[in-house]
Amino acid sequence: MERLQKVIANLGYTSRRKAEDLITAGRVKVNGEVVTELGTKVDGDALIAIDDVLINKNVNYEYYLLNKPRGVISSAHDEEGRRTVVDLIKTEARIYPIGRLDYNTTGLIILTNDGDFANHLMHPSFEIPKTYVAKVEGIIIPEHLTKLKQGIVIENRKVEIKRIKVKRKDYEKNTSLVEVTIVEGRNHIIKKLFGELKLPVIKLSRIGYGFLTLDNLKSGEYRSLSIKEVKKFYSL
Ligand code: URA
């Protein structure tokens, strides 16, 4: 048995303080009954609703944000027995990654066992901005940026660049570091894009996915998404 405000906060719905306000305002129901007393204890099976919307009906769904290391496969299983992103997360749930990052690409990837959520995020009409940092061989010049902004055609489709910023040019090593945001999810798209400009990608990392960033997660670390974050994706 746990205190109701703690359960609500642990579900990621809101802070404990705000949960208390919701309870005293009479907006919280436990098993269909309004509960206004702070400190009411509830058991793990209790159905909790806020403004008549159940907030724990999907407790068996899990959502993770992982900072994928290099040398890990973005799938649930690998025929060759290589380490997968799923192997890095301690859970019994049958989770899988949403979209993919290449074996040698690092960074932000979401995993879940919620098929609706995965379909929602992968749907082409749902143009989620994804931000990558690429280290490329060669020095990026203004002509490259102009071409990228105009839209380079890859396999009969233009790649729309939402934002691009050159972070560093290393003339000694002949490399450039560039941050680029796109909304599509075709495989190897960033490598193909810079490949068209004869700027081969040496290193690639995804640092942003929609409103999510890597925050302080180190390589191989992960955290759960809160219900609030999951809901936010539906409201975009
Ligand atoms: N583009 C790529 O080329 N590789 C990735 O892993 C992701 C986007």
Side-chain angles (χ1 to χ4, degrees):
M1 299 281 274
E2 291 238 72
R3 288 155 75 88
L4 181 55
Q5 58 266 44
K6 188 173 175 203
V7 175
I8 294 171
N10 287 351
L11 283 164
Y13 189 87
T14 186
S15 66
R16 207 180 290 192
R17 177 75 194 78
K18 289 200 178 121
E20 289 175 355
D21 291 344
L22 291 169
I23 294 167
T24 48
R27 293 169 59 188
V28 180
K29 282 184 184 169
V30 176
N31 296 327
E33 301 280 344
V34 175
V35 171
T36 53
E37 192 162 332
L38 290 177
T40 300
K41 296 219 167 160
V42 293
D43 65 35
D45 298 333
L47 290 174
I48 301 167
I50 294 174
D51 296 332
D52 286 316
V53 177
L54 281 177
I55 63 162
N56 63 345
K57 66 171 181 214
N58 290 340
V59 282
N60 54 341
Y61 286 140
E62 298 182 10
Y63 310 88
Y64 298 97
L65 185 168
L66 167 72
N67 184 353
K68 177 192 169 301
R70 268 165 178 260
V72 177
I73 294 275
S74 290
S75 61
H77 304 283
D78 182 49
E79 313 235 304
E80 295 170 39
R82 287 172 296 183
R83 213 153 53 121
T84 74
V85 283
V86 170
D87 295 335
L88 299 176
I89 292 176
K90 287 195 189 82
T91 178
E92 295 299 313
R94 293 165 71 87
I95 56 168
Y96 49 88
I98 300 181
R100 50 174 48 237
L101 291 177
D102 295 337
Y103 187 65
N104 57 2
T105 298
T106 61
L108 201 164
I109 190 157
I110 298 174
L111 298 98
T112 187
N113 56 348
D114 180 347
D116 275 349
F117 185 64
N119 289 338
H120 183 70
L121 261 54
M122 303 260 280
H123 197 274
S125 67
F126 189 58
E127 296 194 331
I128 222 164
K130 300 161 191 93
T131 301
Y132 297 86
V133 173
K135 185 178 180 185
V136 299
E137 196 182 313
I139 299 298
I140 296 185
I141 54 171
E143 282 81 352
H144 289 135
L145 296 179
T146 308
K147 279 189 186 162
L148 284 162
K149 284 179 191 160
Q150 280 168 349
I152 291 175
V153 176
I154 310 268
E155 285 141 26
N156 301 322
R157 192 144 48 90
K158 253 189 195 179
V159 181
E160 194 191 334
I161 306 285
K162 287 283 175 196
R163 195 173 158 269
I164 184 151
K165 191 161 192 273
V166 180
K167 308 283 281 182
R168 203 162 54 229
K169 297 182 194 180
D170 187 331
Y171 288 91
E172 243 168 58
K173 293 194 176 129
N174 189 38
T175 59
S176 310
L177 199 67
V178 60
E179 191 173 302
V180 58
T181 304
I182 55 173
V183 292
E184 62 158 278
R186 280 186 278 168
N187 285 346
H188 318 303
I189 197 67
I190 298 287
K191 290 176 187 165
K192 287 179 179 165
L193 196 58
F194 287 100
E196 284 291 314
L197 298 171
K198 309 276 180 292
L199 296 165
V201 172
I202 310 168
K203 261 188 181 176
L204 186 62
S205 183
R206 184 156 71 190
I207 59 162
Y209 187 98
F211 54 87
L212 296 172
T213 62
L214 281 170
D215 297 325
N216 296 319
L217 287 180
K218 299 196 182 77
S219 175
E221 288 184 344
Y222 61 90
R223 69 169 177 88
S224 291
L225 294 186
S226 68
I227 289 185
K228 224 176 177 179
E229 288 171 320
V230 171
K231 280 193 173 163
K232 197 164 168 185
F233 274 110
Y234 282 106
S235 68
L236 290 178

